[in-house]
């Protein structure tokens, strides 16, 4: 499997891909010190900086799994006061639309996205509906789950939203989930 990483941070998804035996083709990260870390840790991967200035069409049809933890600052519960939670209308969390552009350019088989669990509630749920609508427009179905760090033994509860999108051509029975479908294969 081939993997491309957006909003890569210090390479959490890239490391998981490596553990799975997938080939990390590229990562895309804005922060210079994180880019330097990624280049050192994943020297065979192509390194991109600013997602807004990156053309991903050279990867069209060559990436099996595209992952990205798009910025959460505008969806975080820490933004309850002051300017409030702008969600997808915010400058940071709104970079989700750059992820959509990258998906359009790359056309990966599968997509994994991560954000704060509050993304489900921002703007009365409108933002998550917008995200699902955008994925459907591109030909993907999606499932999501909120996971807490404590579920895997961490000493804190930090809840995160994980979304997996797959081609609409994958037909599941009404009671199936994509995760159960994969277990049967």
């Amino acid at each position: 499997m081939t993997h491309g990483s957006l909003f890569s941070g210090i390479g959490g998804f890239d490391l998981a891909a490596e553990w799975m035996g997938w080939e990390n083709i590229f990562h895309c990260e804005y922060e210079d010190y994180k880019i330097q870390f990624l280049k050192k840790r994943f020297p065979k991967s192509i390194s991109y900086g600013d997602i807004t200035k990156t053309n991903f069409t050279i990867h069209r049809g060559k990436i099996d799994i595209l992952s990205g933890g798009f910025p959460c600052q505008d969806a975080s519960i820490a933004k309850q006061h002051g300017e409030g939670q702008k969600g997808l209308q915010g400058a940071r969390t709104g970079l989700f639309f750059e992820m959509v552009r990258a998906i359009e350019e790359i056309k990966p088989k599968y997509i994994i996205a991560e954000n704060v669990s509050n993304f489900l509630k921002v703007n009365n749920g409108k933002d998550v509906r917008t995200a699902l609508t955008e994925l459907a427009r591109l030909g993907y179905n999606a499932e999501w789950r909120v996971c807490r760090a404590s579920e895997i033994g961490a000493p804190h509860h930090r809840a995160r939203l994980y979304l997996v999108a797959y081609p609409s051509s994958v037909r599941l029975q009404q009671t199936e989930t994509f995760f159960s479908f994969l277990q049967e294969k």
Side-chain angles (χ1 to χ4, degrees):
M1 300 285 270
T2 56
H3 172 250
S5 173
L6 305 173
F7 312 107
S8 303
I10 59 168
F13 279 120
D14 305 75
L15 183 60
E18 185 178 86
W19 289 347
M20 293 295 297
W22 303 343
E23 181 183 1
N24 283 308
I25 304 299
F26 71 84
H27 49 258
C28 183
E29 172 54 47
Y30 184 78
E31 300 286 339
D32 286 335
Y33 73 97
K34 292 176 185 176
I35 293 169
Q36 294 313 312
F37 177 83
L38 289 164
K39 284 180 177 180
K40 185 175 182 178
R41 179 62 182 86
F42 304 100
K44 294 180 182 177
S45 296
I46 299 168
S47 185
Y48 296 112
D50 187 346
I51 191 171
T52 67
K53 297 176 180 162
T54 303
N55 180 342
F56 294 102
T57 57
I58 66 165
H59 300 291
R60 182 174 297 231
K62 298 176 184 173
I63 300 297
D64 294 310
I65 299 169
L66 181 66
S67 66
F70 60 99
C72 67
Q73 289 88 336
D74 301 307
S76 172
I77 59 171
K79 292 277 188 165
Q80 291 181 73
H81 308 290
E83 289 183 29
Q85 299 169 343
K86 293 181 179 180
L88 292 177
Q89 289 73 49
R92 303 293 299 274
T93 303
L95 287 170
F96 167 78
F97 295 106
E98 289 296 324
M99 185 172 186
V100 169
R101 180 186 57 81
I103 293 166
E104 270 185 295
E105 291 178 0
I106 296 167
K107 300 199 182 305
K109 291 180 184 173
Y110 305 103
I111 301 154
I112 302 170
E114 177 268 338
N115 210 286
V116 293
S117 61
N118 196 56
F119 185 72
L120 293 170
K121 298 176 185 175
V122 173
N123 294 320
N124 295 316
K126 180 183 175 207
D127 287 3
V128 72
R129 288 190 303 273
T130 298
L132 295 172
T133 299
E134 285 296 308
L135 291 169
R137 179 181 66 79
L138 298 175
Y140 295 92
N141 289 327
E143 295 180 21
W144 60 92
R145 180 169 182 241
V146 172
C147 301
R148 294 184 174 278
S150 57
E151 291 177 32
I152 58 166
H156 55 89
H157 293 293
R158 189 176 187 213
R160 307 302 286 178
L161 169 70
Y162 290 92
L163 181 144
V164 175
Y166 51 91
S168 297
S169 60
V170 174
R171 296 288 177 213
L172 304 176
Q173 297 300 316
Q174 190 171 4
T175 58
E176 278 184 311
T177 68
F178 183 68
F179 303 102
S180 66
F181 172 77
L182 285 178
Q183 290 173 347
E184 295 172 7
K185 298 294 171 200

